[in-house]
Amino acid sequence: MEIIYPQLLKWVNPIDYFEIEIGNQICYSAPMDNAGSYFQELQKKWLPYYNNDLRLQRLTMTRNACNYDLDHIPFFINRALYFQALDILCKAFQEYLQALFIANKTYPIAYNKWIREQVVKWLNKPDLYPKLSPILSVSNIESDEINEKARMLRELLINVTDE
């Protein structure tokens, strides 16, 4: 097991997997035998969730990164870079999910799979899930549709509160 450190989130970086690493390596993992002292030390440090100062800092950074990506989608659309716009929308979608989990003090297992399970059951937000899947459903990539999806995602991001 490797030591986990939070990264400084920057807008141009790929998705940060800090919370996923903690979720997969510490929160949702189970030792084969007795938990060793190092594993127990990690559990004490990171469970049930990391400290509130770091959480608020990471929530702000994640929101800023998502907004930065959403801000750039119209520029790509205006330049007919539709696939780039879609790629950035997918990245922003994962950043939104990251912010959602941080706000809810819950470690995710992934930002690209088991979304229904995590949102509906783990976060107890059954009304949110039907709003998520349409964001990444694009019927005409060479249209203004991705801009509309970015607006939908930004609306959801605005509603992510520090719970």
Side-chain angles (χ1 to χ4, degrees):
M1 186 174 300
E2 63 186 73
I3 298 174
I4 302 169
Y5 294 105
Q7 299 296 314
L8 178 61
L9 294 178
K10 295 181 182 172
W11 341 41
V12 294
N13 286 352
I15 298 296
D16 173 83
Y17 292 101
F18 177 65
E19 288 79 17
I20 287 175
E21 288 180 18
I22 295 171
N24 286 298
Q25 293 181 28
I26 301 168
C27 186
Y28 305 118
S29 67
M32 295 294 285
D33 196 10
N34 293 328
S37 61
Y38 182 66
F39 185 70
Q40 291 173 352
E41 184 182 317
L42 290 173
Q43 286 180 314
K44 284 180 189 173
K45 180 176 183 174
W46 299 112
L47 300 181
Y49 205 77
Y50 54 77
N51 73 62
N52 203 48
D53 289 339
L54 178 59
R55 187 181 74 81
L56 293 174
Q57 177 187 16
R58 290 191 55 77
L59 181 57
T60 298
M61 289 188 303
T62 304
R63 279 185 181 141
N64 290 344
C66 187
N67 275 313
Y68 178 87
D69 285 336
L70 292 173
D71 288 344
H72 284 77
I73 289 173
F75 297 109
F76 293 124
I77 296 295
N78 289 340
R79 294 177 59 207
L81 297 170
Y82 303 108
F83 290 93
Q84 177 70 16
L86 180 61
D87 183 58
I88 296 300
L89 178 64
C90 290
K91 181 177 179 274
F93 183 83
Q94 291 186 20
E95 290 162 339
Y96 164 76
L97 289 175
Q98 184 178 14
L100 183 66
F101 276 92
I102 292 170
N104 285 275
K105 301 178 189 172
T106 302
Y107 291 117
I109 201 157
Y111 299 132
N112 61 355
K113 53 190 170 192
W114 303 301
I115 304 301
R116 180 190 301 261
E117 168 100 9
Q118 293 182 100
V119 170
V120 173
K121 293 182 180 176
W122 295 14
L123 298 179
N124 195 28
K125 295 187 178 296
D127 295 337
L128 175 60
Y129 182 78
K131 298 173 185 175
L132 297 178
S133 55
I135 291 171
L136 296 181
S137 301
V138 178
S139 61
N140 182 4
I141 198 164
E142 292 189 9
S143 70
D144 193 51
E145 189 175 357
I146 296 174
N147 278 329
E148 179 54 34
K149 305 299 179 158
R151 284 187 285 274
M152 291 167 60
L153 186 56
R154 189 180 311 272
E155 226 174 89
L156 292 175
L157 183 64
I158 289 168
N159 292 323
V160 171
T161 58
D162 177 31
E163 298 175 3

PDB file of all heavy atoms in Angstrom, residues 20 29-30 33-34 37 48 51 61 84 90 96 126 133 138-141 144 150 162:
ATOM      1  N   ILE A  20     -10.647   8.729  -4.385  1.00  0.00           N
ATOM      2  CA  ILE A  20     -10.829   7.358  -4.890  1.00  0.00           C
ATOM      3  C   ILE A  20      -9.756   6.439  -4.309  1.00  0.00           C
ATOM      4  O   ILE A  20     -10.049   5.300  -3.928  1.00  0.00           O
ATOM      5  CB  ILE A  20     -10.818   7.338  -6.435  1.00  0.00           C
ATOM      6  CG1 ILE A  20     -12.115   7.943  -6.957  1.00  0.00           C
ATOM      7  CG2 ILE A  20     -10.630   5.918  -6.970  1.00  0.00           C
ATOM      8  CD1 ILE A  20     -12.180   8.081  -8.459  1.00  0.00           C
ATOM      9  N   SER A  29     -11.525  -1.425   1.387  1.00  0.00           N
ATOM     10  CA  SER A  29     -10.697  -2.627   1.291  1.00  0.00           C
ATOM     11  C   SER A  29     -10.765  -3.383   2.610  1.00  0.00           C
ATOM     12  O   SER A  29     -11.096  -2.829   3.658  1.00  0.00           O
ATOM     13  CB  SER A  29      -9.255  -2.250   0.960  1.00  0.00           C
ATOM     14  OG  SER A  29      -8.668  -1.544   2.020  1.00  0.00           O
ATOM     15  N   ALA A  30     -10.433  -4.641   2.517  1.00  0.00           N
ATOM     16  CA  ALA A  30     -10.412  -5.470   3.715  1.00  0.00           C
ATOM     17  C   ALA A  30      -9.128  -6.289   3.700  1.00  0.00           C
ATOM     18  O   ALA A  30      -8.805  -6.915   2.691  1.00  0.00           O
ATOM     19  CB  ALA A  30     -11.623  -6.404   3.745  1.00  0.00           C
ATOM     20  N   ASP A  33      -5.998 -10.922   6.316  1.00  0.00           N
ATOM     21  CA  ASP A  33      -5.884 -11.488   7.660  1.00  0.00           C
ATOM     22  C   ASP A  33      -6.186 -10.352   8.629  1.00  0.00           C
ATOM     23  O   ASP A  33      -7.039  -9.524   8.372  1.00  0.00           O
ATOM     24  CB  ASP A  33      -4.468 -12.047   7.853  1.00  0.00           C
ATOM     25  CG  ASP A  33      -4.362 -12.980   9.045  1.00  0.00           C
ATOM     26  OD1 ASP A  33      -5.395 -13.346   9.620  1.00  0.00           O
ATOM     27  OD2 ASP A  33      -3.223 -13.337   9.403  1.00  0.00           O
ATOM     28  N   ASN A  34      -5.470 -10.231   9.679  1.00  0.00           N
ATOM     29  CA  ASN A  34      -5.628  -9.123  10.603  1.00  0.00           C
ATOM     30  C   ASN A  34      -5.039  -7.860   9.992  1.00  0.00           C
ATOM     31  O   ASN A  34      -4.028  -7.917   9.296  1.00  0.00           O
ATOM     32  CB  ASN A  34      -4.928  -9.426  11.935  1.00  0.00           C
ATOM     33  CG  ASN A  34      -5.599 -10.559  12.683  1.00  0.00           C
ATOM     34  OD1 ASN A  34      -6.801 -10.745  12.591  1.00  0.00           O
ATOM     35  ND2 ASN A  34      -4.804 -11.329  13.409  1.00  0.00           N
ATOM     36  N   SER A  37      -0.495  -2.818  11.602  1.00  0.00           N
ATOM     37  CA  SER A  37      -0.441  -1.519  12.284  1.00  0.00           C
ATOM     38  C   SER A  37      -0.434  -0.352  11.293  1.00  0.00           C
ATOM     39  O   SER A  37      -1.038   0.686  11.562  1.00  0.00           O
ATOM     40  CB  SER A  37       0.781  -1.449  13.203  1.00  0.00           C
ATOM     41  OG  SER A  37       1.970  -1.595  12.447  1.00  0.00           O
ATOM     42  N   PRO A  48     -13.434   8.500   9.596  1.00  0.00           N
ATOM     43  CA  PRO A  48     -14.441   8.270   8.562  1.00  0.00           C
ATOM     44  C   PRO A  48     -14.270   9.175   7.334  1.00  0.00           C
ATOM     45  O   PRO A  48     -14.717   8.833   6.247  1.00  0.00           O
ATOM     46  CB  PRO A  48     -15.774   8.535   9.251  1.00  0.00           C
ATOM     47  CG  PRO A  48     -15.441   9.486  10.361  1.00  0.00           C
ATOM     48  CD  PRO A  48     -14.023   9.148  10.776  1.00  0.00           C
ATOM     49  N   ASN A  51      -9.810  15.558   7.381  1.00  0.00           N
ATOM     50  CA  ASN A  51     -10.157  16.742   8.170  1.00  0.00           C
ATOM     51  C   ASN A  51     -10.896  17.810   7.343  1.00  0.00           C
ATOM     52  O   ASN A  51     -10.747  17.888   6.129  1.00  0.00           O
ATOM     53  CB  ASN A  51      -8.928  17.325   8.875  1.00  0.00           C
ATOM     54  CG  ASN A  51      -7.981  18.042   7.941  1.00  0.00           C
ATOM     55  OD1 ASN A  51      -8.348  19.033   7.309  1.00  0.00           O
ATOM     56  ND2 ASN A  51      -6.753  17.547   7.848  1.00  0.00           N
ATOM     57  N   MET A  61     -11.124  23.722  -4.740  1.00  0.00           N
ATOM     58  CA  MET A  61     -10.274  23.458  -5.900  1.00  0.00           C
ATOM     59  C   MET A  61     -11.010  22.640  -6.965  1.00  0.00           C
ATOM     60  O   MET A  61     -10.874  22.903  -8.156  1.00  0.00           O
ATOM     61  CB  MET A  61      -9.000  22.735  -5.469  1.00  0.00           C
ATOM     62  CG  MET A  61      -8.040  23.616  -4.695  1.00  0.00           C
ATOM     63  SD  MET A  61      -6.422  22.871  -4.350  1.00  0.00           S
ATOM     64  CE  MET A  61      -6.854  21.391  -3.461  1.00  0.00           C
ATOM     65  N   GLN A  84     -13.165  17.704 -28.813  1.00  0.00           N
ATOM     66  CA  GLN A  84     -12.441  18.289 -27.671  1.00  0.00           C
ATOM     67  C   GLN A  84     -13.444  18.804 -26.639  1.00  0.00           C
ATOM     68  O   GLN A  84     -13.260  18.614 -25.433  1.00  0.00           O
ATOM     69  CB  GLN A  84     -11.514  19.421 -28.137  1.00  0.00           C
ATOM     70  CG  GLN A  84     -10.789  20.133 -27.025  1.00  0.00           C
ATOM     71  CD  GLN A  84      -9.724  19.293 -26.350  1.00  0.00           C
ATOM     72  OE1 GLN A  84      -9.302  18.277 -26.881  1.00  0.00           O
ATOM     73  NE2 GLN A  84      -9.286  19.709 -25.186  1.00  0.00           N
ATOM     74  N   CYS A  90     -16.760  15.564 -20.429  1.00  0.00           N
ATOM     75  CA  CYS A  90     -16.607  14.326 -19.654  1.00  0.00           C
ATOM     76  C   CYS A  90     -15.701  14.544 -18.438  1.00  0.00           C
ATOM     77  O   CYS A  90     -15.988  14.049 -17.353  1.00  0.00           O
ATOM     78  CB  CYS A  90     -16.047  13.210 -20.538  1.00  0.00           C
ATOM     79  SG  CYS A  90     -17.207  12.629 -21.780  1.00  0.00           S
ATOM     80  N   TYR A  96     -17.335  17.232 -11.312  1.00  0.00           N
ATOM     81  CA  TYR A  96     -18.588  17.477 -10.603  1.00  0.00           C
ATOM     82  C   TYR A  96     -18.838  16.353  -9.587  1.00  0.00           C
ATOM     83  O   TYR A  96     -19.172  16.616  -8.426  1.00  0.00           O
ATOM     84  CB  TYR A  96     -19.770  17.580 -11.576  1.00  0.00           C
ATOM     85  CG  TYR A  96     -21.091  17.441 -10.871  1.00  0.00           C
ATOM     86  CD1 TYR A  96     -21.617  18.490 -10.126  1.00  0.00           C
ATOM     87  CD2 TYR A  96     -21.788  16.237 -10.897  1.00  0.00           C
ATOM     88  CE1 TYR A  96     -22.812  18.348  -9.426  1.00  0.00           C
ATOM     89  CE2 TYR A  96     -22.975  16.086 -10.218  1.00  0.00           C
ATOM     90  CZ  TYR A  96     -23.486  17.140  -9.482  1.00  0.00           C
ATOM     91  OH  TYR A  96     -24.658  16.990  -8.784  1.00  0.00           O
ATOM     92  N   PRO A 126     -31.503   9.890  -4.869  1.00  0.00           N
ATOM     93  CA  PRO A 126     -32.177   9.254  -5.998  1.00  0.00           C
ATOM     94  C   PRO A 126     -32.737  10.252  -7.012  1.00  0.00           C
ATOM     95  O   PRO A 126     -32.862   9.922  -8.199  1.00  0.00           O
ATOM     96  CB  PRO A 126     -33.292   8.431  -5.344  1.00  0.00           C
ATOM     97  CG  PRO A 126     -33.509   9.078  -4.009  1.00  0.00           C
ATOM     98  CD  PRO A 126     -32.182   9.640  -3.599  1.00  0.00           C
ATOM     99  N   SER A 133     -27.373  11.308 -16.274  1.00  0.00           N
ATOM    100  CA  SER A 133     -27.136  10.589 -17.530  1.00  0.00           C
ATOM    101  C   SER A 133     -27.406  11.423 -18.787  1.00  0.00           C
ATOM    102  O   SER A 133     -26.675  11.291 -19.768  1.00  0.00           O
ATOM    103  CB  SER A 133     -27.900   9.261 -17.566  1.00  0.00           C
ATOM    104  OG  SER A 133     -29.262   9.457 -17.331  1.00  0.00           O
ATOM    105  N   VAL A 138     -25.236  12.753 -26.026  1.00  0.00           N
ATOM    106  CA  VAL A 138     -25.196  13.761 -27.084  1.00  0.00           C
ATOM    107  C   VAL A 138     -25.662  13.115 -28.385  1.00  0.00           C
ATOM    108  O   VAL A 138     -25.100  12.119 -28.822  1.00  0.00           O
ATOM    109  CB  VAL A 138     -23.765  14.327 -27.251  1.00  0.00           C
ATOM    110  CG1 VAL A 138     -23.703  15.336 -28.375  1.00  0.00           C
ATOM    111  CG2 VAL A 138     -23.293  14.943 -25.950  1.00  0.00           C
ATOM    112  N   SER A 139     -26.691  13.676 -28.998  1.00  0.00           N
ATOM    113  CA  SER A 139     -27.207  13.099 -30.237  1.00  0.00           C
ATOM    114  C   SER A 139     -26.572  13.707 -31.480  1.00  0.00           C
ATOM    115  O   SER A 139     -26.473  13.060 -32.507  1.00  0.00           O
ATOM    116  CB  SER A 139     -28.734  13.245 -30.298  1.00  0.00           C
ATOM    117  OG  SER A 139     -29.089  14.611 -30.275  1.00  0.00           O
ATOM    118  N   ASN A 140     -26.140  14.978 -31.393  1.00  0.00           N
ATOM    119  CA  ASN A 140     -25.501  15.626 -32.536  1.00  0.00           C
ATOM    120  C   ASN A 140     -24.293  16.402 -32.042  1.00  0.00           C
ATOM    121  O   ASN A 140     -24.423  17.527 -31.561  1.00  0.00           O
ATOM    122  CB  ASN A 140     -26.482  16.546 -33.262  1.00  0.00           C
ATOM    123  CG  ASN A 140     -25.874  17.196 -34.478  1.00  0.00           C
ATOM    124  OD1 ASN A 140     -24.726  16.915 -34.837  1.00  0.00           O
ATOM    125  ND2 ASN A 140     -26.635  18.063 -35.114  1.00  0.00           N
ATOM    126  N   ILE A 141     -23.139  15.796 -32.196  1.00  0.00           N
ATOM    127  CA  ILE A 141     -21.927  16.412 -31.647  1.00  0.00           C
ATOM    128  C   ILE A 141     -21.596  17.737 -32.328  1.00  0.00           C
ATOM    129  O   ILE A 141     -21.033  18.626 -31.715  1.00  0.00           O
ATOM    130  CB  ILE A 141     -20.733  15.427 -31.698  1.00  0.00           C
ATOM    131  CG1 ILE A 141     -19.636  15.900 -30.759  1.00  0.00           C
ATOM    132  CG2 ILE A 141     -20.243  15.219 -33.117  1.00  0.00           C
ATOM    133  CD1 ILE A 141     -18.605  14.867 -30.427  1.00  0.00           C
ATOM    134  N   ASP A 144     -24.887  22.868 -30.982  1.00  0.00           N
ATOM    135  CA  ASP A 144     -24.735  23.607 -29.721  1.00  0.00           C
ATOM    136  C   ASP A 144     -25.111  22.730 -28.521  1.00  0.00           C
ATOM    137  O   ASP A 144     -25.119  23.196 -27.392  1.00  0.00           O
ATOM    138  CB  ASP A 144     -25.617  24.866 -29.766  1.00  0.00           C
ATOM    139  CG  ASP A 144     -25.276  25.833 -28.650  1.00  0.00           C
ATOM    140  OD1 ASP A 144     -24.073  26.149 -28.494  1.00  0.00           O
ATOM    141  OD2 ASP A 144     -26.200  26.257 -27.934  1.00  0.00           O
ATOM    142  N   ALA A 150     -23.191  21.497 -20.910  1.00  0.00           N
ATOM    143  CA  ALA A 150     -22.306  22.200 -19.982  1.00  0.00           C
ATOM    144  C   ALA A 150     -23.119  23.104 -19.058  1.00  0.00           C
ATOM    145  O   ALA A 150     -22.830  23.200 -17.855  1.00  0.00           O
ATOM    146  CB  ALA A 150     -21.261  23.006 -20.754  1.00  0.00           C
ATOM    147  N   ASP A 162     -21.731  22.671   0.728  1.00  0.00           N
ATOM    148  CA  ASP A 162     -20.899  22.094   1.760  1.00  0.00           C
ATOM    149  C   ASP A 162     -21.822  21.542   2.839  1.00  0.00           C
ATOM    150  O   ASP A 162     -22.253  22.272   3.720  1.00  0.00           O
ATOM    151  CB  ASP A 162     -19.965  23.171   2.330  1.00  0.00           C
ATOM    152  CG  ASP A 162     -19.127  22.644   3.457  1.00  0.00           C
ATOM    153  OD1 ASP A 162     -18.809  21.437   3.421  1.00  0.00           O
ATOM    154  OD2 ASP A 162     -18.800  23.422   4.365  1.00  0.00           O
TER     155      ASP A 162
END
